[in-house]
């Protein structure tokens, strides 16, 4: 009877007005919460010692990514291993001011370690991964001289492989991989081509898209390496953020050039206006690919020819070629933003320290699509406003190169990874290398939300 009373609709206009007034007086909350970047974040969790071994004291991290459901994060390191770290209590006890690490110890150990077999090129989460559904708890990886692997993120078992073969019928490794927004295909970058695998059909079945067609030339570059396919679900009121992170594996190390493409119109409203008269990427290897997160079936590809191209996913039709890089996409110390309604000019450039490294440095966009965070050689994480292109704030995340940065999908938190290769002379021994806890490390940072910052201000007053 009580339940029936609770569900009873209002039987008068006066009662309806009272209910409406009461609802309008309730506090409105934004979800995900808006992050306040004016206040420095607190380091909530910290990890460094478990990455180091006597045989490999300089085991630096290469990247870090949150799972789509935010229950854990995944790291890759120089020792060819992946590590999965859970977020305690799924962040239920989140407090922007908590700090649970000591300088001498790690906050906790990874609950899963997976050996990739060879040097790790790229990795990505299944876009609909959920810890409540074990079937979806998988991530894909590509390593040197190996096919694409799909790993179980709970047991570490190999679920299946996706193989591509070269002209000699030998397995060739992808240099970058990524799931399309629908989660039905894996796009992989190879030498002068892209291959598309159906995730439900492991093996050697794939669709092949050559970037070379006759004598037509779109993005002509030197031989480079496809490095990163990043598919992020970041959309804002002003449009969509697509990002391209590129690197050159030809020298055996990563590079840091990054390109940001801001899309302000749906694909149906795009008008091809490249002025190139070309329908292909030309004689080159694509250095990076990113998918449009709004399921408009567009993707952007970057290259070392100082250009970025935008294609239709279904037929790989070339829509735009964007110019403006001062160097190769992975060597430019600036993050570039274009408005594809007017691709002649760059909207703005975002700087981060990467002039003197050939290491890959990743960036990320917050869940609301309003701010961008990126690391650099100086150990700082810089935050930029994507609406204005202005620098907002920065904080010291490590004492060496911050090569990975990833916002939590729904909490005001972020993960950062650091480290770089340290070269030793013949007279050096592994024992001579002494690193602090803020080098070759991973950290979880907690930002105050806008409501928390407002409450703190009220208390101060």
């Amino acid at each position: 009877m009580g339940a029936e009373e609770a569900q009873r609709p209002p039987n008068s206009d006066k009662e309806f007005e009272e209910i409406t007034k009461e609802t309008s007086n309730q506090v409105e909350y934004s979800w995900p919460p808006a992050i306040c970047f004016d206040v420095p974040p607190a380091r909530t969790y910290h990890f460094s010692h478990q990455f180091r071994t006597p045989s490999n004291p300089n085991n630096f991290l290469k990247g870090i990514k949150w799972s789509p459901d935010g229950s854990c994060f995944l790291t890759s390191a120089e020792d060819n291993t992946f590590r999965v770290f859970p977020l305690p209590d799924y962040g239920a006890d989140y407090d922007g001011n908590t700090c649970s690490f000591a300088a001498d110890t790690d906050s906790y150990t990874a609950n899963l370690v997976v050996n990739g077999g060879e040097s790790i090129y790229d990795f990505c989460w299944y876009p609909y991964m959920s810890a409540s559904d074990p079937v979806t708890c998988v991530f894909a990886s590509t390593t040197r001289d190996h096919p694409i692997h799909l790993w179980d993120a709970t047991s570490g078992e190999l679920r299946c492989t996706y193989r591509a073969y070269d002209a000699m019928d030998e397995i060739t490794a992808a240099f970058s991989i990524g799931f399309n927004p629908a989660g039905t295909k894996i796009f992989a970058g190879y030498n002068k081509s892209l291959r598309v695998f159906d995730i439900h059909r492991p093996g050697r079945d794939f669709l092949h898209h050559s970037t070379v067609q006759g004598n037509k030339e779109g993005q002509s570059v030197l031989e480079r390496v496809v490095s990163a396919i990043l598919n992020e679900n970041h959309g804002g009121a002003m449009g969509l953020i697509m990002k391209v992170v590129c690197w050159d594996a030809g020298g055996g190390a990563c590079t840091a050039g990054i390109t940001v493409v801001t899309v302000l119109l749906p694909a149906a409203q795009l008008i091809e206006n490249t002025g190139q008269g070309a329908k292909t990427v030309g004689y080159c290897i694509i250095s990076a690919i990113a998918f449009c997160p709004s399921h408009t079936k567009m993707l952007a590809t970057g290259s070392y020819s100082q250009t970025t191209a935008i294609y239709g996913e279904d037929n790989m039709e070339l829509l735009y070629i964007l110019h403006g890089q001062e160097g190769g996409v992975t060597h430019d110390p600036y993050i570039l933003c274009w408005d594809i309604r007017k691709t002649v000019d760059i909207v703005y450039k975002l700087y981060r320290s990467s002039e003197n490294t050939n290491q890959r440095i990743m960036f990320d966009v917050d869940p609301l699509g309003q701010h961008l965070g990126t690391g650099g050689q100086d150990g700082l994480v810089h935050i930029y406003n994507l609406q204005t292109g202005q620098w907002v704030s920065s904080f010291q995340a490590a004492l060496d190169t911050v090569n990975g940065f990833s916002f939590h999908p729904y909490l005001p938190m972020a993960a950062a990874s650091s480290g770089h290769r340290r070269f030793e002379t013949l007279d050096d021994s592994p024992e001579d290398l002494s690193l602090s806890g803020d080098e070759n490390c991973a950290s979880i940072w907690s930002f105050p939300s806008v409501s928390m910052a407002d409450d703190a201000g009220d208390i101060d007053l």
Side-chain angles (χ1 to χ4, degrees):
M1 188 67 179
E4 293 177 358
E5 274 187 29
Q7 297 174 5
R8 178 178 59 83
N11 54 12
S12 67
D13 294 339
K14 183 177 181 180
E15 186 176 352
F16 180 79
E17 290 177 1
E18 291 178 354
I19 294 176
T20 305
K21 183 178 180 180
E22 180 181 352
T23 303
S24 63
N25 291 333
Q26 292 179 353
V27 179
E28 295 184 0
Y29 296 94
S30 63
W31 193 259
I35 299 176
C36 177
F37 294 106
D38 296 333
V39 180
R43 183 151 58 179
T44 308
Y45 303 107
H46 184 67
F47 316 90
S48 61
H49 295 282
Q50 60 191 290
F51 298 110
R52 304 170 188 175
T53 61
S55 60
N56 189 8
N58 187 34
N59 179 34
F60 60 91
L61 279 79
K62 291 184 173 180
I64 189 168
K65 296 180 182 180
W66 283 104
S67 63
D69 69 342
S71 63
C72 58
F73 59 92
L74 178 65
T75 67
S76 66
E78 175 66 8
D79 62 354
N80 308 332
T81 60
F82 300 97
R83 290 174 174 84
V84 179
F85 294 84
L87 181 63
D89 298 323
Y90 293 84
D93 298 331
Y94 164 76
D95 182 352
N97 297 318
T98 59
C99 182
S100 61
F101 77 94
D104 312 353
T105 60
D106 291 359
S107 298
Y108 52 88
T109 59
N111 64 353
L112 181 67
V113 179
V114 177
N115 191 339
E118 276 288 352
S119 179
I120 297 170
Y121 287 158
D122 196 13
F123 63 97
C124 60
W125 286 99
Y126 176 64
Y128 296 101
M129 178 270 185
S130 174
S132 60
D133 185 3
V135 176
T136 64
C137 293
V138 294
F139 66 90
S141 71
T142 177
T143 59
R144 183 174 57 196
D145 298 332
H146 283 249
I148 298 170
H149 292 316
L150 192 67
W151 301 97
D152 190 309
T154 57
S155 66
E157 296 180 355
L158 180 63
R159 290 273 189 95
C160 56
T161 61
Y162 303 89
R163 303 187 300 272
Y165 292 82
D166 57 17
M168 304 298 294
D169 202 33
E170 297 178 347
I171 289 181
T172 178
F175 296 104
S176 63
I177 56 173
F179 291 93
N180 65 337
T184 58
K185 301 175 182 178
I186 295 178
F187 280 68
Y190 294 85
N191 185 3
K192 298 182 182 179
S193 66
L194 293 171
R195 291 176 171 90
V196 183
F197 298 87
D198 187 330
I199 65 169
H200 301 101
R201 300 182 64 185
R204 62 183 302 167
D205 293 335
F206 56 83
L207 296 178
H208 181 269
H209 296 282
S210 175
T211 60
V212 178
Q213 293 182 6
N215 293 324
K216 295 180 180 180
E217 181 178 354
Q219 284 182 288
S220 60
V221 300
L222 299 176
E223 291 282 322
R224 294 301 186 222
V225 174
V226 180
S227 67
I229 298 180
L230 295 178
N231 174 13
E232 300 291 342
N233 298 319
H234 299 307
M238 293 297 294
L240 309 170
I241 300 297
M242 297 177 63
K243 60 184 182 181
V244 181
V245 181
C246 313
W247 61 293
D248 179 11
C254 303
T255 59
I258 303 172
T259 301
V260 177
V261 180
T262 304
V263 184
L264 301 179
L265 292 176
Q269 300 180 30
L270 297 180
I271 301 175
E272 182 175 348
N273 186 25
T274 63
Q276 303 295 318
K279 299 296 181 182
T280 71
V281 179
Y283 302 99
C284 67
I285 292 180
I286 303 169
S287 57
I289 301 179
F291 289 93
C292 181
S294 65
H295 297 263
T296 53
K297 294 190 175 182
M298 290 193 302
L299 62 130
T301 66
S303 74
Y304 271 36
S305 66
Q306 305 176 13
T307 59
T308 299
I310 297 180
Y311 290 87
E313 180 183 331
D314 290 335
N315 54 11
M316 297 303 292
E317 177 186 3
L318 180 62
L319 302 175
Y320 288 96
I321 292 183
L322 309 175
H323 301 266
Q325 293 286 158
E326 297 179 3
V329 170
T330 63
H331 285 179
D332 199 319
Y334 290 95
I335 301 172
L336 307 185
C337 178
W338 286 278
D339 183 342
I340 60 172
R341 296 173 299 182
K342 183 182 179 182
T343 59
V344 177
D345 300 319
I346 298 171
V347 179
Y348 53 72
K349 297 182 178 182
L350 310 178
Y351 173 79
R352 83 281 184 261
S353 174
S354 62
E355 298 93 336
N356 302 317
T357 182
N358 61 350
Q359 187 172 7
R360 172 185 179 182
I361 298 178
M362 297 188 292
F363 70 90
D364 197 15
V365 179
D366 74 344
L368 295 179
Q370 297 178 355
H371 294 86
L372 178 146
T374 179
Q377 289 179 270
D378 51 7
L380 296 173
V381 170
H382 294 277
I383 306 297
Y384 289 92
N385 187 318
L386 288 177
Q387 304 301 319
T388 63
Q390 297 297 314
W391 177 87
V392 175
S393 64
S394 63
F395 65 93
Q396 192 77 42
L399 296 181
D400 52 2
T401 303
V402 177
N403 50 48
F405 185 76
S406 177
F407 282 106
H408 192 279
Y410 58 84
L411 289 175
M413 306 176 73
S417 62
S418 77
H420 57 257
R421 193 181 306 278
R422 293 169 171 84
F423 296 96
E424 301 176 358
T425 64
L426 296 177
D427 296 332
D428 293 336
S429 63
E431 292 77 12
D432 296 334
L433 182 62
S434 178
L435 301 177
S436 70
D438 289 329
E439 296 175 294
N440 290 3
C441 63
S443 300
I444 303 301
W445 298 87
S446 296
F447 294 86
S449 62
V450 172
S451 59
M452 292 171 59
D454 292 340
D455 294 340
D458 294 339
I459 294 174
D460 293 337
L461 293 175

